[in-house]
């Protein structure tokens, strides 16, 4: 695992000035309590995660907010972030609610702090498959069992009455990209994350049978949420709030100026393609952190996971043991538009 320091000039300082001007910075940092630490570690995937743009550009806002040591910890996508934060390799995590719920259920000391956005998952299938119920007996590609895609697909199939264990032919994609297997006709469907759906749409291959940006009930809940280690939250509450403030301001910037954000994440080598970055920012909903109740999302997914036997904890236990909404409540008041 590598650590990438954000010490490089942010487009020679010009882009940062523009970003700060758009989202706004605190009127007076010394009107707030001093930071207990000026260091924070955030996740970064090798090859980039297009839907993490809000967390990627937040680093420079954190620097303007008093942080001097902002690290992006880089690891391969085969390792889920829940493992990074459980091992203490990052202070914050951007992850799917089911992954965070599983961690809380297992006793990992994290606190979910806010939802970030919805709409970064699309279930891609061949033309003859028109709905999730049509996946019965079909070959569905996953890159591992009990990981993000397998869990999501299990929850989605169980929700419409399928038995995820017996009704679906799971195909391990292993080191091959699911898009390649799909194009080759070796799998009938897979759950795509950016830029996979965008790539296939450009080639007019397959179609989307479920998009969690628009299809209920999934569109009514966050698909990515922000968590932090319990230790960081307890030891550094001022720093925790400022990190969260920077991420939420960056989310607002993703909505108000997606072109600028897309260019910044490419120029800073977080992702390789401007076109896919821009399309992703236009497809997913970064505006929903203000409107959705993150507790509702955790309750919904916890119930679905209980129904499929993935976890033992109740929604009340997950919320009581693994959440801290005080920073979000304060920031919603402070960042009113």
């Amino acid at each position: 695992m590598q650590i990438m320091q954000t010490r490089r000039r942010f487009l020679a300082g010009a882009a940062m000035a523009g970003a700060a001007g758009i989202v706004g910075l605190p009127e007076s940092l010394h009107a707030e309590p001093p930071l207990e630490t000026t260091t924070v570690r955030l996740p970064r995937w090798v090859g980039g995660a297009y839907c993490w743009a809000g967390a990627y550009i937040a680093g420079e806002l954190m620097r303007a907010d008093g942080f001097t040591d902002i690290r992006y910890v880089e690891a391969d996508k085969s390792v889920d972030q829940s493992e990074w934060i459980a091992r203490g390799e990052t202070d914050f995590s951007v992850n799917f609610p089911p992954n965070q719920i599983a961690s809380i259920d297992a006793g990992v000391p994290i606190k979910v702090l806010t939802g970030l956005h919805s709409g970064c998952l699309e279930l891609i299938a061949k033309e003859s498959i028109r709905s999730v119920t049509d996946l019965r007996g079909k070959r569905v590609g996953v890159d591992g069992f009990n990981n993000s895609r397998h869990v999501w697909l299990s929850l989605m199939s169980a929700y419409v009455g399928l038995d995820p264990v017996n009704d679906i032919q799971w195909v391990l994609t292993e080191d091959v990209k699911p898009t390649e297997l799909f194009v080759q006709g070796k799998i009938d469907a897979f759950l795509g994350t950016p830029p996979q759906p965008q790539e296939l749409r450009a080639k007019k291959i397959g179609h989307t049978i479920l998009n969690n940006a628009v299809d209920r009930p999934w569109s009514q809940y966050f698909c990515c949420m922000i968590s932090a280690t319990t230790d960081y939250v307890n030891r550094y509450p001022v720093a925790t709030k400022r990190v969260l403030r920077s991420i939420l301001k960056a989310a607002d910037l993703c909505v108000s100026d997606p072109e600028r954000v897309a260019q910044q994440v490419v120029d800073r080598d977080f992702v390789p393609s401007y076109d896919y970055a821009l399309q992703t920012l236009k497809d997913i909903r970064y505006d929903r952190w203000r409107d959705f109740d993150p507790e509702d999302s955790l309750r919904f997914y916890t119930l679905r996971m209980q129904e499929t036997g993935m976890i033992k904890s109740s929604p009340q236990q997950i919320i009581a043991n693994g959440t801290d909404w005080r920073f979000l409540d304060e920031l919603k008041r402070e960042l009113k538009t």
Side-chain angles (χ1 to χ4, degrees):
M1 185 169 290
Q2 299 175 338
I3 294 179
M4 174 185 160
Q5 300 280 3
T6 60
R7 299 190 186 284
R8 292 173 296 173
R9 296 289 183 184
F10 192 28
L11 300 182
M16 182 55 228
I22 291 175
V23 301
L25 292 173
E27 293 182 3
S28 175
L29 288 181
H30 46 258
E32 299 180 307
L35 287 169
E36 309 94 342
T37 179
T38 56
T39 297
V40 63
R41 297 170 300 169
L42 305 164
R44 168 191 169 124
W45 266 339
V46 174
Y50 284 85
C51 62
W52 289 8
Y56 287 159
I57 67 167
E60 291 303 322
L61 295 174
M62 293 176 203
R63 186 178 303 284
D65 217 353
F67 288 88
T68 59
D69 185 12
I70 304 161
R71 312 177 194 180
Y72 281 94
V73 181
E74 186 174 72
D76 188 84
K77 290 184 180 180
S78 63
V79 181
D80 187 80
Q81 292 172 75
S82 57
E83 296 183 32
W84 310 0
I85 197 167
R87 293 194 296 252
E89 293 166 351
T90 61
D91 302 310
F92 286 78
S93 175
V94 185
N95 213 338
F96 299 126
N99 298 69
Q100 293 161 328
I101 291 166
S103 293
I104 297 166
D105 181 66
V108 176
I110 63 170
K111 297 293 183 184
V112 180
L113 304 175
T114 184
L116 183 59
H117 62 72
S118 66
C120 62
L121 298 170
E122 294 187 40
L123 183 49
I124 311 297
K126 62 182 184 180
E127 292 299 331
S128 61
I129 298 174
R130 309 307 299 179
S131 68
V132 178
T133 54
D134 291 340
L135 293 179
R136 188 187 303 272
K138 300 299 191 297
R139 301 164 301 171
V140 178
V142 291
D143 50 357
F145 292 115
N146 299 317
N147 67 0
S148 298
R149 284 178 174 79
H150 182 245
V151 168
W152 272 107
L153 287 165
S154 296
L155 296 178
M156 290 172 174
S157 58
Y159 191 79
V160 297
L162 297 179
D163 180 346
V165 176
N166 299 309
D167 288 341
I168 292 177
Q169 297 182 39
W170 298 107
V171 177
L172 284 176
T173 59
E174 297 179 334
D175 295 330
V176 182
K177 293 181 179 179
T179 49
E180 294 178 13
L181 295 179
F182 185 74
V183 170
Q184 294 166 6
K186 295 181 179 179
I187 57 175
D188 302 311
F190 73 98
L191 189 63
T193 56
Q196 294 164 343
Q198 289 81 6
E199 291 173 342
L200 291 177
R201 272 197 292 273
K203 298 175 181 177
K204 298 182 179 180
I205 298 175
H207 70 129
T208 297
I209 62 171
L210 188 152
N211 182 334
N212 75 336
V214 296
D215 293 322
R216 292 174 177 264
W218 316 101
S219 62
Q220 303 305 298
Y221 305 101
F222 288 110
C223 67
C224 284
M225 303 184 76
I226 303 294
S227 59
T229 65
T230 300
D231 180 66
Y232 196 97
V233 172
N234 289 342
R235 292 175 63 192
Y236 312 129
V238 176
T240 299
K241 180 179 176 181
R242 290 199 198 176
V243 169
L244 202 60
R245 178 167 61 197
S246 294
I247 293 174
L248 295 179
K249 284 188 173 184
D252 286 345
L253 184 56
C254 290
V255 177
S256 64
D257 199 347
E259 292 82 4
R260 182 192 296 272
V261 172
Q263 192 62 60
Q264 288 178 2
V265 293
V266 171
D267 289 341
R268 297 179 63 205
D269 300 322
F270 282 115
V271 297
S273 170
Y274 170 82
D275 290 336
Y276 288 146
L278 180 59
Q279 188 60 54
T280 299
L281 288 167
K282 291 182 176 181
D283 288 343
I284 65 177
R285 297 295 302 272
Y286 266 105
D287 57 330
R288 286 181 166 162
W289 75 263
R290 295 177 181 275
D291 303 322
F292 283 4
D293 182 348
E295 195 166 295
D296 284 346
S297 294
L298 291 183
R299 186 177 294 107
F300 172 81
Y301 288 114
T302 299
L303 288 171
R304 305 289 80 75
M305 295 174 76
Q306 272 191 314
E307 292 168 355
T308 56
M310 294 181 183
I311 61 169
K312 295 180 179 180
S313 300
S314 68
Q316 293 79 7
Q317 291 171 317
I318 292 296
I319 292 166
N321 296 332
T323 67
D324 190 335
W325 309 129
R326 56 185 161 145
F327 307 104
L328 177 62
D329 292 340
E330 292 177 9
L331 290 169
K332 279 187 174 181
R333 292 191 295 269
E334 292 177 17
L335 300 179
K336 284 184 178 179
T337 55

